[in-house]
Amino acid sequence: MKPFVEILDTTLRDGAQMEGVSFSVNDKFQILDHLVDFGVTYIEAGNPGSNPKDREFFNRLNANKPNMGTTELVAFGPTKRKGIRPDEDTGLKDLLSAETAAVVVFGKTWDLEVRDILRCTNDENLELIRETMAYLTSQGRQVIFDAEHYFEAFRSNPDYAIACLKAAQDGGANCVVLCDTNGATMPDEVGAVTAAVVNALPDLKIGIHCHNDSGMAVANSQAAVLAGATHVQGTFNGIGERCGNANLSTIIPNLQLKYGYSCIPEAKMELLTPIARAIAEITNIQLPNGEPYVGTSAFSHKAGMHVDGVKKNSKTFEHVEPVSVGNARRFLLSEISGRSAALDIIRRIKPDIDRDAPEVARVLHTMKDLEHQGYHFEGAEASQELLVCKELGLYQPFFTLEKLRITNEHPQTGAYSAFTYIKVLVDGVEEVTAAEGEGPVNAMDRALKKALQIFYPELIDVRLTDFKVRVLNHEATASSVRTLIESTDGIKTWHTIGVSTDILEASWLALVDSLEYKLMMKKLGWEK
Amino acid sequence: MKPFVEILDTTLRDGAQMEGVSFSVNDKFQILDHLVDFGVTYIEAGNPGSNPKDREFFNRLNANKPNMGTTELVAFGPTKRKGIRPDEDTGLKDLLSAETAAVVVFGKTWDLEVRDILRCTNDENLELIRETMAYLTSQGRQVIFDAEHYFEAFRSNPDYAIACLKAAQDGGANCVVLCDTNGATMPDEVGAVTAAVVNALPDLKIGIHCHNDSGMAVANSQAAVLAGATHVQGTFNGIGERCGNANLSTIIPNLQLKYGYSCIPEAKMELLTPIARAIAEITNIQLPNGEPYVGTSAFSHKAGMHVDGVKKNSKTFEHVEPVSVGNARRFLLSEISGRSAALDIIRRIKPDIDRDAPEVARVLHTMKDLEHQGYHFEGAEASQELLVCKELGLYQPFFTLEKLRITNEHPQTGAYSAFTYIKVLVDGVEEVTAAEGEGPVNAMDRALKKALQIFYPELIDVRLTDFKVRVLNHEATASSVRTLIESTDGIKTWHTIGVSTDILEASWLALVDSLEYKLMMKKLGWEK
C-alpha cells in the first residue's frame, strides 16, 4: 500500500485571488465537477462571508447536494476575533453557514504579526486559536488550521510557532498546515521546519501550503511531503495571487508517479491533461505550452536527434509516458494517438466504422488542419461532431448565407448599438430579415435565428447560455480570435467554436454551428 | 567573501530549441549585449557547425571582437566521432573555428546509450571522451564537458558514470556538468548524486544543467549547488525544448539573495527585471504575469488585507524588495482594497495630495463604480491614470466623436471584412475619414488613428501590441465584455481597458484611452 497524501485544491478560493481571474458561480460549478471527477480529497470553495458570489455558490450547492464521491467540500475563513465569544463571531457564523463537513481556518503564528496585526499577547493568540478550533469542532466540523507565515514564524520563534499548532491540536484541529504565505522559503528550510513540526507533534496530520514567489512552490510542497507532511494545498495550473500557488498539475504526478505516493485514484491520472486544460479554459488563462506534464509542448520533440532518441528508446527524452497523464507525444500524434482519438469521436456517430477506413484519415487530416488555424475541439464537441458528420457525408447545409451585414453605430441613436441585415436561402426559398441587438454578436444571433425559424421551428427553443472569446496570438487587433458558444434547447446543452481574424466572423461560425448542430441532432434522431 | 557560482547562459543555444523560437543573428547580438551587461560568466552562443546562422554569428563576432568584460563566450558541440582522429573530426574543427576561449562538449555517460546509440564499448567511450578533451585542451581551449542523461547514467551504473567524468578530467576538462537531459529527476536525487560526484572528484569543478519536465529545473539546480556544484547552466525566462530549461531569472536571485552565493556583480541585480523582459521581447514570447521576481504581478497586491499588511510591514507579503530585482510594487484597486491603494495611484500624478482631500474620495468612488460595471484596473494602469487626471481636473478631451460606424460584411467581397467610417472634431475642425481592416477592431483602430494623426502627429508611432477580450458574465451574447489593450510608442508600453455590453464599444473605449493616454503623457511632460 502506497502512503497516502491528501490533496486540498484551492483553485476556487486562493486561485481566484489571481490578477485578472474572476469566477462566476457557474464557472465554480464547472471546476468543481472536474475536481470531483479527478478525485482530490478536499475542494476549498470560498468564504461564504466574504462576498455574495461565494454565498450563492454554497446556497445552490446545499440546495442540490450533488454526489461528490469521496471528495469533501470545505469553506474557508479566519479565526474568531479577539474578545468575541465564538458563538457570536460573525466570521465563524458565516463559516458554519456553508454547511460543509470540514472547514479551513487561517490564523497567525508569527509573533511579529501577533503583536503588530492582531495586537494581542502571544498567550491570547494561543487561546484564540484553541477556542476557535474547539467551537467549530463542537459544531460537528472537521477543522484544518492554516498557519499563515509559518516559516517566518518558526524562524522568529520556533517554540511559539510550535505552541500555536499545539493549541490548534488541543482545540480539536484535524490537520495543521504550514503556509509559506509570501513564497520566500527555500526547499531545504521547508524540509527542516516540516521535520521539526512532525517530530514535535507526532499524532497530528501536517499539511503544506506554498506560494511561488521564488519559483519553489512545487519543490517546497514536495520537500514537506518527504519530511512527513501528508496534506498538500495548491491550485490547478498554479493560479493565485502574485506568482501563484503550488501547481497541483505538477505536484500530483510528481508525488504519485515519481515518488510513489498515492494522491488520487491511479486510473484518474490520465484525466490530468484534459482537466488542467478545461480549468484553464474556464479560468480564461493561457496555459503555457511548456507547462510540465500538461502543456502542448511537454512531450513534443523538435531536435532531429531527440526524435531519433525517442523512437529508439522513449525513456531517453521522455520522463513519463505521455498517455499516463492524458497528454500526447507530438510527432506521433498523426499516427497513433491522433488516429485513435479521431476514431473515438467518429464512433460516436458511426459505431461500426473500421479503424483503417479512409474517412478516419480524412477526419484526422481536417482536424489537424483546423487545429493549426487555432481551433481547439476540447470543450467544443458539437462543432467536432458536425465536422465528422460533414466528412462522413451525413451533412447537407441547412441554409446558404447570401449576405450578412452587421452595422454598429456610436454614439448610438436608439436602444441598440448594433443592427444586422441577413439574407438566407433554404431549399430555394429566400428570406430577408434584420434584427437589432446589444452589440453585434447579439444582433447577429437574433437575425440568424429569426431568418431560420421560418423554416425550422425547432430552433425557437434554442438560446445561447455562454459566450467566450480568446485572442490567440499577440499581433494586436489583426490576430486570430477563438469564440466558444454554449447553447441549450432547454434539455440538452452543447458547445461550438469559431476561429477567425475577425471577431464577428469567429462568432458567426460558432453561432451557425450551434444552430446546425441542433438541426443535425434532429435529423439523425439523437434527440431524446 | 561569498562563495562564487558560475552562470552559463544557454538562451542562445538550448533556449533556441523551444517550439516557435527562432533567433535572427541580430536577435542573438541583442541578447548577447544584455547578458554581458548582466555579468554572467559564460554565454553559450551556438554550434558553428550546426547551421549557417550560428556560423555567421561567430564570424561577425570575431570580426568585431566586442568588449565582453568578464564574460566568456563559448561554442557548443559533440565529442569526436568513434574511429576518427580528433584533428580530423569535422565536429571538433567546427568547434575550434568559433575561436572562443572556452568550449562546451557534450557526450554520453549512460551505459545504455553507449551501447544503443554510440554502439561502442564502455571503454571505447571513456577513451573517446578523454581524447576529445585532450585534443581541445592542446588547442588552447578551456573545456566544459556536458554529461548527457547523467542521472539515468548514475542510476544505471554509478561507477561507470563517475569513470566518464574522470576520463574528462584526465583529458584536461575544466568542468564537468551533470545534465538532467529529460527533466525526470527529483531534487533529493539530484542533491545526492551531485554530492557523490563532488566527493569522488574533489579537484574538479562540477556543474548542473536541468530541464523542467517535472517543474523541478530551478529546484534541481539549487539542490546541486547546495551539494557542491559551482557552475549552473540555464536560460533566461526558462525557454527551451518541451517544458524548457532551468530559469536563470529565478535561479540567480534565489542563489544570490536567498542563499548568499555570488553569481553576478551585486549592483547588477536590479537589471534582472528589465533584462528578462527585454529578452522575452526579443524571443517574442509572452512572459507570464506571475513569473517569479520579474513578472508584472510578482509584487502586486489585491486582497485588502494583504495591501494593509504590506503597508504595515512589507516583509509580510513580499519575499524581497521589488526594486532590488528591478521590479515594482503594484497595488491593485479591486473591490476589496481601499483608500490607501487609491492614494498611491493619485500620488503618481499629484505627489503632494493630502490623504483626506476630496479628490481622493472622488477617485475612489468613481473607481468603485466602474469596477461594479466590470472595469478591472489591474493591468490597465493607463486607463486608471487617465481617470485620475479626469477627477483631478487635469484632463480636457482631445477630440469629440461625432459619428462612428463600423460595418462587417459576409461573405466578404475584398481583402477586408470590416470597414469603419469616422467623423471627429478637434478644436472646431472636423475630420471625416474611413479605414478597412481584418475585423472590426482592426478597422476601428486604423480609422481612429488616421483621423487623429492629422491633429496629433505624435500618434504615428503608437501601435497595439496585445488585445484581450473577456466575457464578464454568462447571460449569452448580451452580457458585458471587457477589452484590454496593450499599446506602445516604441519606448513605453501601456495598458487600457473598456467595458460594454457591445464588444465593439468596449474595444473603442480601450482604443480611445490608449491614444488619449499617449497625448496626456505628452501634455503632462511624462515623456522622457
Side-chain angles (χ1 to χ4, degrees):
Chain A
M1 180 87 178
K2 290 177 174 177
F4 184 67
V5 173
E6 289 178 1
I7 299 294
L8 182 146
D9 180 285
T10 181
T11 304
L12 298 177
R13 204 275 306 165
D14 222 9
Q17 291 298 318
M18 177 153 134
E19 200 175 339
V21 166
S22 167
F23 294 125
S24 70
V25 175
N26 279 334
D27 289 342
K28 287 194 153 202
F29 275 100
Q30 280 189 59
I31 292 175
L32 184 82
D33 281 348
H34 286 298
L35 294 172
V36 166
D37 194 17
F38 199 45
V40 301
T41 315
Y42 295 106
I43 299 171
E44 189 174 82
N47 182 340
S50 81
N51 67 69
K53 267 199 288 186
D54 283 10
R55 162 77 60 208
E56 188 192 334
F57 173 80
F58 284 107
N59 286 349
R60 270 175 56 182
L61 194 94
N62 288 321
N64 298 317
K65 297 266 176 225
N67 176 7
M68 294 188 40
T70 55
T71 301
E72 285 283 4
L73 197 76
V74 302
F76 175 87
T79 46
K80 76 171 194 71
R81 276 165 306 154
K82 184 177 62 168
I84 307 260
R85 274 175 43 191
D87 58 338
E88 287 177 349
D89 186 85
T90 51
L92 299 189
K93 268 188 196 146
D94 285 333
L95 205 51
L96 292 170
S97 75
E99 297 178 30
T100 55
V103 292
V104 174
V105 172
F106 66 96
K108 310 268 181 234
T109 56
W110 185 5
D111 52 7
L112 179 141
E113 283 198 304
V114 171
R115 192 191 64 203
D116 291 353
I117 310 227
L118 288 186
R119 299 197 163 106
C120 67
T121 68
N122 281 354
D123 284 345
E124 281 168 342
N125 180 47
L126 292 178
E127 184 51 21
L128 197 151
I129 294 170
R130 200 201 54 75
E131 226 184 319
T132 302
M133 305 294 122
Y135 175 67
L136 291 169
T137 311
S138 78
Q139 300 300 304
R141 297 303 188 277
Q142 209 192 95
V143 192
I144 296 165
F145 178 61
D146 269 16
E148 281 190 286
H149 288 119
Y150 197 76
F151 298 90
E152 285 81 4
F154 197 91
R155 224 173 289 145
S156 170
N157 186 342
D159 292 339
Y160 183 65
I162 297 273
C164 288
L165 303 183
K166 185 78 177 51
Q169 183 180 28
D170 292 345
N174 163 269
C175 173
V176 296
V177 182
L178 318 182
C179 300
D180 187 27
T181 307
N182 59 6
T185 314
M186 293 288 115
D188 47 326
E189 188 178 359
V190 168
V193 171
T194 307
V197 169
V198 168
N199 189 49
L201 303 163
D203 304 324
L204 192 56
K205 196 194 296 171
I206 309 298
I208 184 78
H209 173 114
C210 294
H211 284 263
N212 203 38
D213 298 74
S214 311
M216 289 294 113
V218 171
N220 282 345
S221 306
Q222 294 173 188
V225 169
L226 294 183
T230 55
H231 168 109
V232 174
Q233 303 190 347
T235 63
F236 247 84
N237 305 320
I239 67 167
E241 202 177 11
R242 302 189 313 274
C243 305
N245 285 55
N247 188 347
L248 291 179
S249 68
T250 310
I251 292 178
I252 293 173
N254 275 353
L255 287 181
Q256 194 147 324
L257 304 178
K258 299 294 175 84
Y259 282 117
Y261 292 94
S262 168
C263 303
I264 56 157
E266 237 170 81
K268 295 289 189 178
M269 193 59 86
E270 57 191 40
L271 293 177
L272 183 73
T273 300
I275 286 179
R277 291 181 187 176
I279 291 178
E281 212 43 63
I282 299 164
T283 314
N284 201 17
I285 57 161
Q286 185 95 3
L287 204 58
N289 292 339
E291 196 68 15
Y293 294 101
V294 301
T296 53
S297 302
F299 301 95
S300 64
H301 303 283
K302 180 176 178 182
M305 202 171 48
H306 286 200
V307 173
D308 273 0
V310 171
K311 294 222 168 199
K312 280 182 182 150
N313 179 346
S314 73
K315 283 189 182 161
T316 54
F317 289 96
E318 279 174 1
H319 65 128
V320 298
E321 277 291 322
V323 291
S324 70
V325 292
N327 207 334
R329 185 178 298 155
R330 277 277 279 292
F331 69 92
L332 288 177
L333 191 76
S334 53
E335 294 139 51
I336 299 164
S337 28
R339 174 171 294 256
S340 61
L343 203 60
D344 256 30
I345 298 146
I346 296 169
R347 285 194 172 145
R348 265 184 249 155
I349 292 151
K350 201 174 174 184
D352 56 346
I353 200 160
D354 189 77
R355 197 186 163 79
D356 299 315
E359 293 95 323
V360 178
R362 227 161 47 220
V363 166
L364 191 59
H365 181 80
T366 309
M367 278 198 322
K368 280 182 69 180
D369 246 28
L370 289 172
E371 284 188 344
H372 188 72
Q373 288 171 41
Y375 276 78
H376 211 219
F377 290 107
E378 296 171 15
E381 287 76 10
S383 285
Q384 198 174 31
E385 289 178 15
L386 261 181
L387 185 151
V388 170
C389 290
K390 287 173 189 175
E391 294 297 338
L392 297 182
L394 298 170
Y395 164 92
Q396 290 287 331
F398 292 90
F399 73 100
T400 312
L401 179 72
E402 302 264 280
K403 186 53 86 186
L404 174 73
R405 184 177 288 152
I406 309 132
T407 307
N408 252 55
E409 212 171 81
H410 301 278
Q412 75 191 53
T413 38
Y416 295 102
S417 57
F419 176 88
T420 293
Y421 146 84
I422 194 168
K423 183 159 118 186
V424 296
L425 198 65
V426 179
D427 291 332
V429 180
E430 214 171 72
E431 171 65 19
V432 173
T433 191
E436 294 183 309
E438 289 186 66
V441 182
N442 187 227
M444 223 160 48
D445 176 35
R446 289 181 180 178
L448 176 61
K449 223 165 280 165
K450 201 167 158 189
L452 293 183
Q453 274 169 15
I454 294 168
F455 308 97
Y456 305 107
E458 61 268 43
L459 295 180
I460 289 170
D461 296 330
V462 178
R463 61 194 169 80
L464 303 195
T465 47
D466 199 1
F467 172 64
K468 281 199 171 124
V469 180
R470 164 72 58 85
V471 179
L472 291 181
N473 40 42
H474 300 281
E475 295 139 30
T477 46
S479 58
S480 267
V481 170
R482 183 197 295 145
T483 302
L484 270 166
I485 279 177
E486 184 183 272
S487 311
T488 184
D489 55 8
I491 297 156
K492 209 179 140 105
T493 295
W494 62 95
H495 299 86
T496 55
I497 187 172
V499 173
S500 168
T501 50
D502 179 337
I503 195 167
L504 297 188
E505 192 180 34
S507 307
W508 167 257
L509 293 170
L511 278 172
V512 169
D513 267 14
S514 160
L515 298 187
E516 291 209 320
Y517 183 73
K518 166 71 182 175
L519 297 172
M520 201 71 210
M521 283 199 294
K522 195 187 171 201
K523 188 177 164 190
L524 297 178
W526 292 347
E527 289 186 302
K528 294 282 148 5
Chain B
M1 179 88 178
K2 290 176 176 179
F4 184 67
V5 173
E6 288 178 2
I7 298 294
L8 183 145
D9 180 285
T10 182
T11 305
L12 297 177
R13 203 275 305 166
D14 221 10
Q17 292 296 318
M18 177 152 132
E19 209 178 331
V21 166
S22 168
F23 294 124
S24 70
V25 176
N26 280 335
D27 289 341
K28 287 193 153 206
F29 275 100
Q30 278 187 62
I31 291 176
L32 185 82
D33 282 348
H34 285 297
L35 294 172
V36 167
D37 193 17
F38 199 45
V40 301
T41 313
Y42 296 106
I43 299 171
E44 189 174 81
N47 183 341
S50 81
N51 68 68
K53 263 199 291 185
D54 282 10
R55 163 78 60 208
E56 189 194 335
F57 173 80
F58 283 107
N59 287 348
R60 269 174 58 181
L61 195 94
N62 288 320
N64 298 317
K65 297 267 176 227
N67 177 8
M68 293 187 42
T70 55
T71 301
E72 287 281 7
L73 197 76
V74 301
F76 174 86
T79 46
K80 76 172 193 71
R81 276 165 306 155
K82 182 178 64 168
I84 308 262
R85 276 177 38 192
D87 58 339
E88 286 175 350
D89 185 85
T90 50
L92 298 190
K93 269 189 194 144
D94 284 333
L95 206 50
L96 291 169
S97 76
E99 297 178 30
T100 54
V103 292
V104 173
V105 172
F106 66 95
K108 309 269 181 232
T109 56
W110 185 5
D111 51 7
L112 178 141
E113 283 198 303
V114 170
R115 191 191 67 203
D116 291 353
I117 309 222
L118 289 186
R119 299 194 165 108
C120 68
T121 67
N122 281 353
D123 284 346
E124 282 168 343
N125 180 48
L126 291 178
E127 184 52 20
L128 197 151
I129 294 170
R130 200 201 53 76
E131 229 183 317
T132 303
M133 304 294 123
Y135 175 67
L136 291 169
T137 311
S138 77
Q139 299 301 304
R141 297 303 188 278
Q142 209 193 95
V143 192
I144 297 165
F145 178 61
D146 269 14
E148 281 189 285
H149 287 121
Y150 197 76
F151 298 90
E152 285 80 4
F154 197 91
R155 225 173 289 145
S156 171
N157 186 341
D159 292 339
Y160 184 64
I162 296 274
C164 289
L165 303 182
K166 186 80 179 49
Q169 184 181 29
D170 291 345
N174 164 269
C175 173
V176 296
V177 181
L178 318 183
C179 300
D180 188 26
T181 307
N182 59 7
T185 315
M186 292 290 115
D188 47 327
E189 188 177 359
V190 168
V193 172
T194 306
V197 170
V198 167
N199 189 47
L201 303 163
D203 304 324
L204 191 58
K205 196 194 295 170
I206 309 299
I208 183 80
H209 174 114
C210 294
H211 283 263
N212 203 38
D213 298 74
S214 311
M216 289 294 111
V218 172
N220 283 344
S221 305
Q222 294 173 188
V225 170
L226 293 184
T230 56
H231 168 109
V232 174
Q233 302 189 349
T235 63
F236 246 83
N237 306 321
I239 66 168
E241 200 178 13
R242 303 189 312 275
C243 305
N245 285 55
N247 188 347
L248 291 179
S249 68
T250 310
I251 292 178
I252 294 174
N254 275 355
L255 287 180
Q256 194 146 324
L257 304 178
K258 298 294 176 85
Y259 281 118
Y261 291 95
S262 168
C263 304
I264 56 156
E266 235 170 84
K268 296 288 190 180
M269 193 58 86
E270 58 190 40
L271 294 177
L272 183 74
T273 300
I275 287 180
R277 292 182 186 175
I279 292 178
E281 208 48 57
I282 299 163
T283 314
N284 201 18
I285 56 161
Q286 185 93 1
L287 203 59
N289 292 340
E291 196 68 15
Y293 294 103
V294 302
T296 52
S297 303
F299 300 95
S300 329
H301 305 282
K302 183 175 179 181
M305 203 171 46
H306 286 199
V307 173
D308 273 0
V310 171
K311 296 229 159 189
K312 279 182 182 150
N313 179 348
S314 73
K315 283 189 183 161
T316 52
F317 288 96
E318 279 172 2
H319 65 129
V320 298
E321 276 291 320
V323 292
S324 69
V325 291
N327 208 335
R329 181 179 303 155
R330 281 166 64 219
F331 289 113
L332 308 173
L333 198 81
S334 65
E335 309 140 61
I336 23 191
S337 62
R339 172 174 292 257
S340 63
L343 201 61
D344 248 42
I345 297 146
I346 297 169
R347 285 193 173 145
R348 266 185 248 153
I349 292 151
K350 199 172 176 183
D352 56 348
I353 200 160
D354 190 78
R355 198 185 162 79
D356 298 315
E359 293 95 323
V360 178
R362 223 156 54 216
V363 166
L364 193 61
H365 181 80
T366 308
M367 282 188 188
K368 284 197 160 163
D369 245 27
L370 288 171
E371 288 194 337
H372 188 71
Q373 286 171 42
Y375 275 78
H376 213 207
F377 290 105
E378 8 184 287
E381 286 77 8
S383 285
Q384 197 174 34
E385 290 178 15
L386 261 181
L387 185 153
V388 171
C389 289
K390 286 173 189 173
E391 293 296 338
L392 297 181
L394 299 169
Y395 163 92
Q396 290 287 331
F398 293 90
F399 74 99
T400 312
L401 178 72
E402 300 264 282
K403 186 52 85 184
L404 174 74
R405 184 177 290 151
I406 310 133
T407 306
N408 251 54
E409 212 171 83
H410 302 277
Q412 74 190 56
T413 39
Y416 295 102
S417 58
F419 176 89
T420 293
Y421 146 85
I422 194 168
K423 183 160 119 187
V424 297
L425 198 65
V426 179
D427 290 333
V429 181
E430 215 170 72
E431 171 64 19
V432 173
T433 191
E436 293 183 309
E438 290 186 64
V441 182
N442 189 226
M444 223 160 46
D445 176 34
R446 289 180 180 180
L448 176 61
K449 224 166 276 164
K450 202 167 157 190
L452 293 183
Q453 274 169 16
I454 296 168
F455 308 97
Y456 304 108
E458 60 268 43
L459 295 180
I460 289 170
D461 296 329
V462 177
R463 61 194 170 82
L464 303 197
T465 47
D466 199 0
F467 171 63
K468 281 195 175 125
V469 181
R470 163 100 208 186
V471 180
L472 292 182
N473 38 43
H474 300 281
E475 296 138 30
T477 45
S479 59
S480 266
V481 170
R482 180 197 295 145
T483 301
L484 269 166
I485 279 177
E486 183 184 272
S487 312
T488 184
D489 55 8
I491 298 158
K492 209 180 141 104
T493 295
W494 62 95
H495 299 86
T496 53
I497 188 173
V499 173
S500 167
T501 50
D502 179 338
I503 195 167
L504 299 188
E505 190 179 37
S507 308
W508 166 257
L509 294 171
L511 279 171
V512 170
D513 266 13
S514 161
L515 299 187
E516 291 209 319
Y517 183 73
K518 166 72 180 175
L519 298 172
M520 201 71 210
M521 283 198 293
K522 197 188 169 201
K523 187 176 163 190
L524 296 180
W526 293 347
E527 292 185 303
K528 293 280 145 15

